[in-house]
Amino acid sequence: MAHKPTSKPAKILYRPVGLASGVIGGVVAGQVFKQVWKHAAPGDRDEAPKSLSTGYALKEILIAAAIQGAIFAVVKAVLDRGGARLFERWTGEWPGE
């Protein structure tokens, strides 16, 4: 669906919405990742490895990072799109592009 160009005031008004959804998305994605890691991790390790953690193989660190990145990207896309649709409903303008 093609949207008309967004006005400058609409872009400015959308910034706080975008920032808030980014913060909320980070928190939600972090919690989702923790739960996924608890259930998917081998052994009895509840905490996901950090990049500088000792005691973890590089393969395990890379897998954890890939899963975490995928979850963050999906949550961000869902919240960005939902926030944009809500903004469009309130203002009649699409906030992107």
Side-chain angles (χ1 to χ4, degrees):
M1 177 160 110
H3 294 280
K4 63 183 181 179
T6 305
S7 68
K8 192 167 192 127
K11 285 183 180 182
I12 292 169
L13 285 173
Y14 182 72
R15 282 187 183 155
V17 174
L19 289 172
S21 71
V23 170
I24 292 167
V27 171
V28 169
Q31 293 302 315
V32 169
F33 173 67
K34 284 181 184 178
Q35 293 303 312
V36 167
W37 188 259
K38 272 187 194 178
H39 297 296
D44 60 350
R45 297 181 180 180
D46 286 342
E47 292 288 320
K50 309 266 189 287
S51 58
L52 298 178
S53 297
T54 59
Y56 291 92
L58 178 60
K59 178 181 174 183
E60 194 171 9
I61 291 171
L62 295 178
I63 290 170
I67 293 169
Q68 186 176 30
I71 290 170
F72 272 85
V74 168
V75 169
K76 181 179 179 347
V78 167
L79 290 177
D80 283 349
R81 190 65 174 203
R85 285 182 188 251
L86 189 61
F87 185 83
E88 182 182 35
R89 250 186 254 140
W90 287 342
T91 66
E93 290 194 59
W94 186 256
E97 300 165 11

